[in-house]
Amino acid sequence: MPVRIQAEPFDAGAELNRLGSGSGIGATACFVGVVRSSASKPVDKLVIEHYPGMTDSAVRSMLNEAVERWSLAECLIIHRFGELLPGEPIMMVAVQSAHRAEAFDAAAYLMDYLKSRAPFWKKEHYAGRAEWVECRNEDEAALARWLSE
């Protein structure tokens, strides 16, 4: 089950098609996160930093936990780093399982983990300034539902 931490853009459709459709797969759940910019906070770029060995190990550990909790046929995690522009994909989680509930739950767990705990540091650049992105209370609450089970 591949984990890719990369600077290069990816094509979510092509990645999803590569997962295939083996026997026993009844559901695929996929999420692609993109760099967001809004009228109230116009982001010029997002810069994502990480420590390669630490990040890969942490994400793989989280993926292993998902595999233990849910019966997954296949899973793909891609997370980018470097300089990204609004509208560009940041990350992708795709999960395949026999049943939709497992696919949705495992994908939600992986996304919540990536948002809150994966060791990536994000800095938004806008209007000649830059600010580190801090974890939001909503993101911690989303992850907490999985930790309490």
Side-chain angles (χ1 to χ4, degrees):
M1 296 192 191
V3 171
R4 295 192 342 241
I5 311 299
Q6 64 188 50
E8 303 79 27
F10 59 88
D11 178 331
E15 297 293 345
L16 199 54
N17 285 335
R18 272 195 277 280
L19 284 179
S21 57
S23 65
I25 295 174
T28 301
C30 179
F31 174 84
V32 177
V34 299
V35 177
R36 176 177 49 232
S37 183
S38 67
S40 64
K41 193 172 184 181
V43 173
D44 296 324
K45 66 181 176 182
L46 176 67
V47 177
I48 301 175
E49 299 178 10
H50 77 110
Y51 293 110
M54 183 170 99
T55 303
D56 188 65
S57 176
V59 174
R60 285 187 186 282
S61 176
M62 175 264 316
L63 173 59
N64 290 339
E65 173 144 348
V67 169
E68 289 177 20
R69 290 177 82 158
W70 295 280
S71 180
L72 305 181
E74 188 59 71
C75 183
L76 168 68
I77 297 173
I78 302 172
H79 202 296
R80 293 181 61 201
F81 63 90
E83 190 173 298
L84 291 84
L85 301 176
E88 288 189 322
I90 299 171
M91 54 82 66
M92 175 178 180
V93 170
V95 176
Q96 293 184 314
S97 66
H99 304 285
R100 70 174 184 251
E102 291 175 316
F104 279 129
D105 286 349
Y109 167 77
L110 294 169
M111 292 178 300
D112 289 341
Y113 176 86
L114 287 166
K115 182 74 173 170
S116 297
R117 297 290 169 83
F120 291 99
W121 295 272
K122 302 172 185 173
K123 187 182 275 189
E124 292 177 330
H125 293 257
Y126 52 90
R129 298 181 325 162
E131 290 182 4
W132 290 105
V133 177
E134 303 216 6
C135 189
R136 301 175 321 151
N137 291 336
E138 301 88 45
D139 297 329
E140 285 296 317
L143 182 63
R145 71 182 166 139
W146 303 111
L147 301 177
S148 64
E149 293 181 359

